[in-house]
């Protein structure tokens, strides 16, 4: 007799959120046994270098041989699930594999081994997927960080990493975490969204799209502002497609997320310190180095600290048309955040001088927001200008989203509208061949232009 005798198969198949959850105690017992044999008797390095089809075929051949040796017989359906579990656990990411393969899922959140949430279409949902125990979750995290030369343990209880498909992973373990192992995975589409996609999602309208593409083509400096998960990186990716192909673009990121589908683009990624606390390469280091690489434009994924000074300095000294994002809840808040970041850089300057420096660098601030119903909207496109009368610096909204109500199901209603203010940059747009008719800026209803102006 073999190690296992044939048992009656108990199958529970559930359809949930676009993937199948499968629970079979006998298959789970077999998978654990054969996974251990695979790890102990086979060189997994050779398997992981194969493509998915070759790898599955090789593992299937090996497992079939194991089963033949042990005289184990199961149905073809159970064998398919057995192979999937073994591949996921041995060379994949276990229970997370179906979630990672679902393109509609944008975020995966693990709150200890018993809770896994996903974000789909802007809404969080709890799944029925669970890990066996905390050790199982830690095993999956080790699979993520080990190839990157990173580790996570009590001496280093937080880690940032990136999967091969570009998905960003953050993990925290006890004693820092009070709820077991916590993992956040931010997924990214293989094919980044375009501005047309954003129009189809009703996140922006045609007029605003045309205007934004015009100011990017005309080499104006744009700051994208928004909260967590509002779509800043998605918009940055889509806008960057308007950069002419004959220009050299250098991207600088803390964790590589941008995918600019264009020629002559090179990327730089920050590096955290090693286990000895040495070897860190910061965003600020990279921005400074990017200036030596003959860029036409610099795109910084997100400014969070002292690198804001170097980024604005680049915008002020000939690197026009640069793009970056900042975590802020309004255009005015974005300016204040930048001001604080410049102070972090050790610039002992009065606030008035710092603000003049910011205004000299920025042309437009684009504010985006994610609503409670999951919708992401472009709330405003604001031009940064100096008031000719009082000499004050002001933000004037050119377009905005006006909320008009709330449906019974919680859906936010509203409309995109010009504010009636014509941008000061119309001449520059014309010089770059981006002529915008006056009708584009006519308000759809009676509005007071002063309501769309705020002073810095």
């Amino acid at each position: 007799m073999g190690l296992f005798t044939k048992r009656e198969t108990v199958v529970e198949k559930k359809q949930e959120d676009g993937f199948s959850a499968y629970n079979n105690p006998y298959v789970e017992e077999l998978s654990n046994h054969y996974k251990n044999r695979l790890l102990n008797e086979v060189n997994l390095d050779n398997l992981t270098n194969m493509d998915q089809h070759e790898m599955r075929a090789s593992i299937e051949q090996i497992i079939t041989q194991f089963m033949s040796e042990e005289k184990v017989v199961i149905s073809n359906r159970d064998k398919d699930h057995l192979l999937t579990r073994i591949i996921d656990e041995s060379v994949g990411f276990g229970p997370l594999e179906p979630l990672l393969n679902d393109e509609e899922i944008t975020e995966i959140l693990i709150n200890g081994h018993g809770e896994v949430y996903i974000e789909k279409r802007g809404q969080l949902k709890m799944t029925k997927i669970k890990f066996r125990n905390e050790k199982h979750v830690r095993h999956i995290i080790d699979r993520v960080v080990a190839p990157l030369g990173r580790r996570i343990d009590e001496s280093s209880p937080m880690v940032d990493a990136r999967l091969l498909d570009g998905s960003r992973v953050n993990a925290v373990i006890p004693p820092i975490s009070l709820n077991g192992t916590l993992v956040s995975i931010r997924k990214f589409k293989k094919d980044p969204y375009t501005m047309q996609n954003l129009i189809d999602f009703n996140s922006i309208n045609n007029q605003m799209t045309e205007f934004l593409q015009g100011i990017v083509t005309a080499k104006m400096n744009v700051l994208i502002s928004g909260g967590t998960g509002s779509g800043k990186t998605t918009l940055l990716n889509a806008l960057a497609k308007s950069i002419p192909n004959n220009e050299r673009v250098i991207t600088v990121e803390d964790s590589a997320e941008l995918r600019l589908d264009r020629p002559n683009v090179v990327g730089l990624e920050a590096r955290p310190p090693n286990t000895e606390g040495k070897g860190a390469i910061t965003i600020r280091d990279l921005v400074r180095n990017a200036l030596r690489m003959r860029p036409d434009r610099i795109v910084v994924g997100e400014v969070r600290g002292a690198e804001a000074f170097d980024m604005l300095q680049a915008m002020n000294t000939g690197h026009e048309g640069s793009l970056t994002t900042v975590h802020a809840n309004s255009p005015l808040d974005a300016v204040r955040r930048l001001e604080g970041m410049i102070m972090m850089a050790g610039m002992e300057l009065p606030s008035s001088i710092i603000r003049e420096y910011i205004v000299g660098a920025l042309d437009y601030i684009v504010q985006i927001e994610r609503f409670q119903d999951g919708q992401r909207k472009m709330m405003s496109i604001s031009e940064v200008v100096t008031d000719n009368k009082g000499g004050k610096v002001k933000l004037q909204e050119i377009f905005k989203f006006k909320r008009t109500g709330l449906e019974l199901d919680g859906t936010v209603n509203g409309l995109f509208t010009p504010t009636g203010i014509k941008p000061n940059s119309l001449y520059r747009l014309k010089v770059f061949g981006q002529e915008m008719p006056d009708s584009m800026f006519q308000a759809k209803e009676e509005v007071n232009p002063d309501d769309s102006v705020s002073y810095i």
Side-chain angles (χ1 to χ4, degrees):
M1 295 290 291
L3 178 63
F4 292 97
T5 57
K6 187 177 179 181
R7 306 175 187 176
E8 184 177 333
T9 300
V10 179
V11 176
E12 180 187 357
K13 192 173 185 181
K14 302 172 184 176
Q15 192 69 27
E16 174 193 340
D17 295 321
F19 60 86
S20 297
Y22 182 87
N23 180 22
N24 182 329
Y26 181 43
V27 170
E28 184 171 346
E29 189 176 354
L30 284 174
S31 69
N32 290 334
H33 168 65
Y34 288 130
K35 183 184 71 175
N36 290 331
R37 282 199 66 178
L38 196 67
L39 292 171
N40 293 327
E41 301 176 31
V42 178
N43 186 345
L44 290 183
D45 288 339
N46 292 335
L47 289 175
T48 53
N49 288 329
M50 300 177 182
D51 63 36
Q52 287 293 324
H53 296 295
E54 288 180 321
M55 181 172 64
R56 186 179 178 90
S58 296
I59 291 179
E60 182 174 6
Q61 186 178 10
I62 294 167
I63 299 303
T64 300
Q65 181 181 334
F66 289 164
M67 293 174 70
S68 176
E69 291 171 0
E70 298 171 356
K71 297 181 173 59
V72 173
V73 180
I74 57 177
S75 69
N76 288 334
R77 185 185 181 194
D78 284 351
K79 187 176 180 181
D80 284 341
H81 285 290
L82 172 68
L83 289 169
T84 299
R85 289 184 70 100
I86 291 172
I87 291 170
D88 289 351
E89 294 287 341
S90 303
V91 292
F93 300 109
L96 296 181
E97 280 292 324
L99 306 182
L100 292 169
N101 293 329
D102 188 335
E103 292 230 350
E104 290 190 356
I105 294 175
T106 52
E107 201 106 26
I108 302 169
L109 305 171
I110 302 170
N111 301 338
H113 71 279
E115 284 187 1
V116 179
Y117 286 83
I118 59 170
E119 182 191 70
K120 262 189 177 185
R121 305 179 190 95
Q123 298 279 10
L124 276 180
K125 300 177 182 179
M126 186 175 179
T127 73
K128 293 182 180 179
I129 285 182
K130 298 180 187 297
F131 291 84
R132 292 191 296 274
N133 48 42
E134 285 296 311
K135 184 178 179 182
H136 190 196
V137 187
R138 289 283 295 274
H139 170 71
I140 299 302
I141 298 308
D142 287 339
R143 290 197 57 78
V144 174
V145 301
L148 303 174
R150 310 287 299 283
R151 73 178 189 190
I152 184 166
D153 51 34
E154 287 192 6
S155 64
S156 181
M158 296 185 294
V159 69
D160 283 306
R162 191 174 72 251
L163 301 180
L164 290 175
D165 67 356
S167 298
R168 189 175 68 198
V169 181
N170 174 267
V172 184
I173 64 172
I176 301 300
S177 161
L178 304 179
N179 304 91
T181 301
L182 308 180
V183 184
S184 303
I185 302 176
R186 172 75 61 85
K187 291 178 59 188
F188 299 99
K189 280 176 62 67
K190 294 177 182 177
D191 301 314
Y193 288 122
T194 63
M195 294 302 289
Q196 184 58 52
N197 292 139
L198 302 186
I199 292 173
D200 295 340
F201 298 149
N202 199 29
S203 295
I204 187 174
N205 69 2
N206 286 295
Q207 282 179 303
M208 297 166 81
T209 297
E210 183 182 348
F211 184 70
L212 282 176
Q213 291 174 330
I215 63 178
V216 171
T217 303
K219 300 196 74 170
M220 296 188 204
N221 297 320
V222 178
L223 175 68
I224 299 171
S225 167
T228 301
S230 57
K232 298 186 294 294
T233 303
T234 298
L235 178 59
L236 186 59
N237 254 321
L239 272 183
K241 292 182 182 292
S242 301
I243 299 175
N245 286 341
N246 62 346
E247 295 185 20
R248 177 172 169 81
V249 179
I250 297 177
T251 66
V252 176
E253 300 176 82
D254 187 41
S255 180
E257 300 174 10
L258 294 172
R259 297 186 179 185
L260 308 189
D261 185 18
R262 63 185 314 285
N264 203 6
V265 57
V266 293
L268 303 176
E269 184 180 27
R271 185 178 71 187
N274 59 22
T275 54
E276 298 174 352
K278 299 178 181 178
I281 305 293
T282 66
I283 293 288
R284 189 172 193 190
D285 296 329
L286 296 180
V287 171
R288 288 173 171 175
N289 191 78
L291 295 172
R292 305 185 186 106
M293 298 173 67
R294 200 256 174 229
D296 287 306
R297 306 201 194 205
I298 298 175
V299 177
V300 177
E302 182 175 359
V303 287
R304 300 174 183 169
E307 69 274 3
F309 175 74
D310 302 279
M311 181 69 198
L312 294 173
Q313 190 173 42
M315 291 177 169
N316 264 318
T317 55
H319 297 90
E320 298 174 313
S322 294
L323 305 168
T324 189
T325 75
V326 68
H327 190 114
N329 296 320
S330 70
L332 200 56
D333 183 33
V335 173
R336 292 181 180 134
R337 290 289 305 277
L338 287 177
E339 185 179 346
M341 292 174 193
I342 292 176
M343 290 178 177
M344 288 170 59
M347 299 293 105
E348 296 180 1
L349 299 170
S351 294
S352 58
I353 300 298
I354 292 177
R355 290 191 180 186
E356 284 181 18
Y357 191 77
I358 293 171
V359 170
L362 293 179
D363 296 302
Y364 281 91
I365 299 176
V366 178
Q367 185 68 38
I368 56 179
E369 185 178 333
R370 182 177 65 175
F371 294 152
Q372 65 268 30
D373 62 358
Q375 292 188 82
R376 292 171 170 87
K377 298 288 187 184
M378 183 167 294
M379 300 304 293
S380 70
I381 302 174
S382 300
E383 187 178 25
V384 185
V385 296
T386 302
D387 192 330
N388 293 328
K389 296 179 181 178
K392 294 182 179 179
V393 176
K394 64 181 180 180
L395 299 175
Q396 56 182 22
E397 283 185 314
I398 308 302
F399 295 94
K400 69 179 179 180
F401 178 78
K402 183 178 180 180
R403 294 179 63 157
T404 57
L406 199 67
E407 298 283 355
L408 291 176
D409 63 359
T411 302
V412 175
N413 289 330
L415 72 154
F416 297 107
T417 179
T419 62
I421 298 174
K422 286 203 297 186
N424 289 23
S425 58
L426 283 179
Y427 178 74
R428 182 183 177 97
L429 286 164
K430 185 176 180 180
V431 168
F432 279 83
Q434 306 295 310
E435 292 200 48
M436 307 284 170
D438 288 349
S439 58
M440 177 183 286
F441 309 106
Q442 290 175 0
K444 295 179 181 179
E445 55 187 48
E446 286 295 323
V447 294
N448 182 356
D450 289 341
D451 294 339
S452 299
V453 175
S454 56
Y455 287 89
I456 300 176

